Amino acid sequence: QKEVEQDPGPLSVPEGAIVSLNCTYSNSAFQYFMWYRQYSRKGPELLMYTYSSGNKEDGRFTAQVDKSSKYISLFIRDSQPSDSATYLCAMGFNQAGTALIFGKGTTLSVSS
Amino acid sequence: EPEVTQTPSHQVTQMGQEVILRCVPISNHLYFYWYRQILGQKVEFLVSFYNNEISEKSEIFDDQFSVERPDGSNFTLKIRSTKLEDSAMYFCASARTGNDQPQHFGDGTRLSIL
């Protein structure tokens, strides 16, 4: 089973808020975990990339992976109107050239 | 920063016609992928390609689909006889190596079948 579940939202927050986005999955074989941002009529843009469990921080973005709970999160601090987009989680296996499995995406709107 | 480029941005085709979607992956990347996204649905994997061979394909990628790397820079997806349900955004992606490096996506081709 390759399912990845993600609440589609929409999620609306005021500028400066902390945003928490989450995905759950069922296949324990996933080893790579990614967050992509997608603006309307654009392709997925890589935000964060994590191997196995743990945390990774990049500026205002923090990605967390909890493999024991099969749960990943993306936190956005000090959210900006420019963060308004759809956020896609994606997961991959530890085998070269194989598919990424995507969640449906969460639509985020940050109001000024 | 290098990027994946896709042409055309929008393709309108009559049902039953053949269509070729084109992609130029990032130059030092070795793995190439096609995904599609039907409006309002998840991004779905179609096929991966490495060393001039298909590495993996999904159930969606049936005999109507084919991929080719005709030269050192282009990567194409051909749909032989398009159906209404082929209408979607088609994204090309590339990665420098296998899954230990992330896949980078182009902005897609919107395919509309009439």
Side-chain angles (χ1 to χ4, degrees), chain A residues 5-91:
Chain A
E5 298 297 325
Q6 183 176 11
D7 185 342
L11 181 62
S12 296
V13 301
E15 183 175 358
I18 296 174
V19 176
S20 172
L21 306 169
N22 311 293
C23 287
T24 60
Y25 62 95
S26 54
N27 193 330
S28 58
F30 287 131
Q31 293 286 342
Y32 296 94
F33 304 91
M34 285 134 281
W35 286 95
Y36 287 86
R37 177 173 64 195
Q38 186 176 28
Y39 293 112
S40 181
R41 297 191 179 276
K42 291 286 193 178
E45 172 194 2
L46 181 69
L47 279 178
M48 301 291 282
Y49 178 76
T50 309
Y51 172 71
S52 195
S53 284
N55 295 355
K56 187 173 185 178
E57 189 173 321
D58 184 1
R60 296 186 294 111
F61 298 91
T62 299
Q64 290 185 350
V65 175
D66 182 348
K67 291 190 72 180
S68 62
S69 301
K70 298 190 179 71
Y71 188 88
I72 71 170
S73 299
L74 177 71
F75 297 96
I76 307 174
R77 290 183 298 281
D78 187 25
S79 56
Q80 303 295 310
S82 57
D83 294 328
S84 298
T86 298
Y87 289 80
L88 309 173
C89 64
M91 308 185 184

Side-chain angles (χ1 to χ4, degrees), chain B residues 27-42:
Chain B
S27 63
N28 64 346
H29 285 192
L30 301 177
Y31 288 82
F32 314 114
Y33 306 82
W34 284 101
Y35 293 80
R36 79 173 185 190
Q37 187 177 30
I38 294 171
L39 188 64
Q41 298 188 22
K42 293 184 178 184

Side-chain angles (χ1 to χ4, degrees), chain A residues 4 36 49 93 97-99, chain B residues 40 42 48 56 99-100 103 110:
Chain A
V4 175
Y36 287 86
Y49 178 76
F93 300 97
T98 55
Chain B
K42 293 184 178 184
S48 60
E56 185 185 21
N99 280 357
D100 61 333
Q103 296 177 28
R110 182 158 62 103

Side-chain angles (χ1 to χ4, degrees), chain B residues 9-110:
Chain B
S9 57
H10 187 197
Q11 175 80 46
V12 181
T13 301
Q14 292 287 334
M15 186 173 58
Q17 295 297 304
E18 175 183 286
V19 65
I20 297 176
L21 310 182
R22 302 180 190 279
C23 169
V24 179
I26 295 172
S27 63
N28 64 346
H29 285 192
L30 301 177
Y31 288 82
F32 314 114
Y33 306 82
W34 284 101
Y35 293 80
R36 79 173 185 190
Q37 187 177 30
I38 294 171
L39 188 64
Q41 298 188 22
K42 293 184 178 184
V43 175
E44 301 174 288
F45 169 77
L46 292 178
V47 65
S48 60
F49 193 83
Y50 169 73
N51 198 25
N52 284 320
E53 288 185 347
I54 290 175
S55 298
E56 185 185 21
K57 59 182 180 179
S58 71
E59 293 177 352
I60 303 168
F61 193 88
D62 61 19
D63 291 345
Q64 293 300 311
F65 291 87
S66 62
V67 289
E68 189 179 28
R69 187 152 164 83
D71 54 42
S73 59
N74 290 283
F75 180 52
T76 62
L77 174 70
K78 181 194 290 187
I79 308 174
R80 288 189 184 82
S81 179
T82 50
K83 307 181 185 68
L84 293 176
E85 54 264 38
D86 293 328
S87 295
M89 285 290 292
Y90 287 81
F91 294 109
C92 174
S94 69
R96 191 161 59 88
T97 58
N99 280 357
D100 61 333
Q101 291 291 321
Q103 296 177 28
H104 296 268
F105 285 75
D107 278 340
T109 293
R110 182 158 62 103

